[in-house]
Amino acid sequence: MVAATVVIGGPGICFSAAHAGMHNGVLEPLHGHTYQVTLRVHGSVSVDGMVVDFDVVKPALRAAIRPLHRRTLVAGHCPGALVEQTGDTVRITAGGRRYELPATDVVVLPITNTSTEELATYVLGVVMDGLSEAGIGGAELELAESPGTSALVHTRSRAEGCAGTSGDDRADAEVAR
């Protein structure tokens, strides 16, 4: 069997979101990016001539990023930060800053920081959960916050266990800044 990589990305695979990352105990100012997403799926070419059907992968990738588009992304497990939802408001207090935002505009994620690495790891975990039945050997997800600034995260092979969104089963990360 031949090993191959299928690449899915491009201008239509992106989301725009605001965030304020924590750096050395200081919450950076709230700002936004239009994140470009590229997914690379690795595996063996099957008898039907494919690693995986594009018609399976594209919807899983779009479903993973759709809830993040035009939202403020908040790390729900950030040390030193307090995130509270009261009625239709989300209050974030961290690093000497306080934000109150409409709950409909906020996505609280199960991560420790809204760094590009953490966001990429989260998105890859959601994508892989959506592709659990596809028999993929492994995957990489590159999340670019601007040209020349991205994080590339990798799943482990199926034998080692793929990255997910819970526990310590996390993707490995490389950062290009």
Side-chain angles (χ1 to χ4, degrees):
M1 291 208 140
V2 174
T5 300
V6 173
V7 181
I8 297 156
I13 310 291
C14 63
F15 64 96
S16 298
H19 78 115
M22 186 72 81
H23 298 276
N24 300 315
V26 177
L27 191 66
E28 66 184 347
L30 187 63
H31 64 285
H33 303 281
T34 297
Y35 293 95
Q36 298 294 320
V37 184
T38 304
L39 179 68
R40 295 174 187 87
V41 177
H42 310 289
S44 297
V45 177
S46 67
V47 294
D48 63 358
M50 297 185 289
V51 171
V52 66
D53 190 337
F54 286 121
D55 290 339
V56 172
V57 178
K58 285 181 180 180
L61 180 55
R62 286 191 173 109
I65 63 176
R66 186 177 305 115
L68 309 178
H69 188 55
R70 295 186 176 164
R71 298 291 179 262
T72 299
L73 309 180
V74 175
H77 303 299
C78 182
L82 178 62
V83 179
E84 303 171 290
Q85 183 168 347
T86 308
D88 59 355
T89 301
V90 174
R91 182 177 301 120
I92 304 115
T93 307
R97 296 181 187 267
R98 179 178 163 168
Y99 296 103
E100 289 193 28
L101 302 166
T104 56
D105 292 351
V106 176
V107 177
V108 179
L109 299 168
I111 58 178
T112 59
N113 200 347
T114 56
S115 65
T116 307
E117 302 89 329
E118 285 277 338
L119 292 173
T121 300
Y122 171 78
V123 171
L124 181 56
V126 173
V127 169
M128 293 305 289
D129 287 348
L131 295 175
S132 62
E133 302 299 317
I136 294 169
E140 302 173 13
L141 186 132
E142 183 173 9
L143 186 66
E145 64 178 35
S146 63
T149 305
S150 64
L152 178 65
V153 296
H154 315 262
T155 63
R156 297 177 193 97
S157 69
R158 281 285 177 210
E160 297 173 285
C162 287
T165 56
S166 61
D168 291 332
D169 191 19
R170 311 244 332 201
D172 300 318
E174 294 178 17
V175 182
R177 293 201 177 182

